[in-house]
Amino acid sequence: LRRVFCTNASASASAPVFSKKKPLVFLGSPQVSATVLDALLKSSSSPDSNFEVAAIVTQPPSKRERGRKILPSQVAEHALQRGFPPELIFTPERAGEEIFLSNLRDLQPELCVTAAYGNILPTKFLKIPKLGTVNIHPSLLPLYRGAAPVQRALQDGVKETGVSLAFTVRALDAGPIIAYERVQVDDQIKAPNLLDLLFSQGSELLIRELPSIFDGSAKLKAQPQDDSKVTLAPKVTPEESWLSFDQDATLLHNKVRAFAGWPGTRAKIAIIDEANGEHEVLDIKIITTRVSARGNVPENEVDDITFIKGALVIPCGGSSALEVLEIQLPGKKVVNADAFRNGLRGRKLEKA
């Protein structure tokens, strides 16, 4: 078992618990999970609260950000900044490690709450909390079960999504649903913003439902999922980040929104200097787009990339066109289309 900045692995777990509040253990790792942790800490500190956050479980420190320094997970970092005791932050490689499970049993948690934790919870773990484990999942289950529900929903161009609060079972995201909240999806919103919104809504949903979870009525009212409506949301891979302009512009726009943040979307374009015939192919990151409303692209212009009113207009499949508003060249900062155009100094663009 590894912990964040912890020198004595069993000190906290064996200490006597004097509080009469019910111990709750929170599991989460990325920044969006910190929203949920904050809501729990705030709620637990109110005078009439009947629970406390007894421990936090998160992914081990890893290399991230520029310079590839080994840093605690964003939830661990956030908890430490909030003054949470470092010896109560558990960072097992896997949630089935015996030392970790032994320490968790010693805490005798009434409830575990997960929000983008990132590790599979084995049966041995799920048996420990008396009231079970509940998970905040950013989709309307049983839709988009899996690692990338927000990204896959945006990629599919959904007009509505939501957040579900469900009991955790051994099968992935398949437990009974306690409550859910619907959210309308704007056609320009990107994955990081939608994730923030859904976990913010999810934390409110959790706090609202905690009394029913603690008194046992949530178990009675929770609805089983309809397995005939299951859709899956597999993990996004970097290989998927390439855009192919023979696809429809709407598909490409939705992909740009879905993969914003990570892994981003990339494309190859050619810069042509007609004065000397030079031809350079650039690998660019496409940051912000919209679907062009200017009508069909003429057949003789299908390879030409033009500029219209602050947008780079790229012809796509089905006579559609994608307007690129922000791009990033290798090793450079994100710029808008006008700044990119100025840097071309009269050279022409084509699809590579």
Side-chain angles (χ1 to χ4, degrees):
L1 169 70
R2 292 200 284 164
R3 297 197 187 172
V4 179
F5 312 136
C6 179
T7 52
N8 184 346
S10 60
S12 66
S14 58
V17 177
F18 297 112
S19 170
K20 288 179 183 173
K21 290 188 171 189
K22 294 174 179 179
L24 178 154
V25 172
F26 175 73
L27 299 90
S29 298
Q31 191 57 47
V32 285
S33 311
T35 308
V36 183
L37 176 60
D38 270 348
L40 286 168
L41 291 172
K42 186 180 174 187
S43 179
S44 68
S45 65
S46 72
D48 57 348
S49 167
N50 67 341
F51 77 94
E52 65 180 356
V53 180
I56 292 168
V57 184
T58 189
Q59 294 275 31
S62 62
K63 290 180 181 177
R64 59 185 171 86
E65 296 177 9
R66 283 185 184 168
R68 309 301 287 157
K69 291 179 186 171
I70 294 180
L71 296 169
S73 79
Q74 287 163 308
V75 155
E77 228 167 46
H78 186 80
L80 291 165
Q81 286 166 4
R82 289 282 310 255
F84 198 84
E87 68 274 13
L88 291 175
I89 300 174
F90 299 96
T91 61
E93 289 281 356
R94 291 177 308 282
E97 288 176 16
E98 275 309 323
I99 300 173
F100 163 65
L101 291 173
S102 171
N103 280 327
L104 188 64
R105 284 186 201 101
D106 288 345
L107 288 168
Q108 298 180 335
E110 288 276 327
L111 180 69
C112 289
V113 172
T114 61
Y117 169 45
N119 264 350
I120 289 169
L121 302 177
T123 304
K124 285 189 288 186
F125 176 100
L126 296 175
K127 284 180 177 173
I128 294 173
K130 290 178 197 167
L131 295 170
T133 298
V134 297
N135 178 45
I136 293 174
H137 186 78
S139 82
L140 294 172
L141 290 170
L143 303 179
Y144 299 105
R145 288 183 186 174
V150 170
Q151 292 91 329
R152 298 304 183 189
L154 285 179
Q155 193 178 3
D156 288 348
V158 301
K159 303 290 183 216
E160 181 184 72
T161 187
V163 61
S164 303
L165 186 65
F167 283 107
T168 302
V169 295
R170 192 68 183 89
L172 181 68
D173 300 324
I177 297 165
I178 302 163
Y180 62 87
E181 195 87 49
R182 293 182 183 277
V183 172
Q184 300 308 302
V185 180
D186 172 81
D187 65 5
Q188 287 296 124
I189 197 168
K190 296 177 183 177
N193 305 94
L194 186 53
L195 265 168
D196 286 345
L197 175 62
L198 292 174
F199 276 97
S200 174
Q201 297 268 30
S203 60
E204 289 176 23
L205 194 61
L206 172 69
I207 299 305
R208 203 158 68 231
E209 293 295 332
L210 271 179
S212 74
I213 296 167
F214 280 124
D215 72 19
S217 60
K219 263 268 184 347
L220 302 174
K221 74 171 183 178
Q223 295 294 309
Q225 293 185 37
D226 182 349
D227 286 345
S228 71
K229 293 181 178 171
V230 170
T231 62
L232 299 178
K235 192 175 178 180
V236 174
T237 65
E239 293 76 35
E240 292 180 78
S241 64
W242 288 98
L243 297 182
S244 172
F245 294 120
D246 57 0
Q247 291 185 309
D248 187 89
T250 301
L251 281 177
L252 299 179
H253 170 63
N254 288 337
K255 192 172 183 179
V256 171
R257 297 159 61 216
F259 293 4
W262 191 90
T265 38
R266 299 158 68 194
K268 291 187 186 296
I269 59 170
I271 299 179
I272 295 152
D273 191 329
E274 291 178 303
N276 58 21
E278 281 183 5
H279 181 282
E280 180 189 2
V281 174
L282 279 186
D283 172 356
I284 62 166
K285 261 193 153 180
I286 292 186
I287 309 295
T288 305
T289 57
R290 66 178 173 229
V291 178
S292 179
R294 73 181 187 118
N296 288 355
V297 178
E299 283 294 321
N300 61 339
E301 293 179 19
V302 290
D303 287 328
D304 293 344
I305 298 173
T306 54
F307 286 92
I308 298 172
K309 292 179 182 171
L312 189 65
V313 182
I314 304 177
C316 299
S319 297
S320 62
L322 186 70
E323 295 188 8
V324 178
L325 308 175
E326 290 182 307
I327 71 168
Q328 187 175 17
L329 295 174
K332 305 285 186 183
K333 288 181 178 175
V334 174
V335 295
N336 64 27
D338 283 333
F340 176 61
R341 181 185 196 174
N342 292 340
L344 289 173
R345 298 187 199 88
R347 289 175 295 175
K348 195 181 148 192
L349 293 180
E350 278 187 6
K351 294 194 292 190

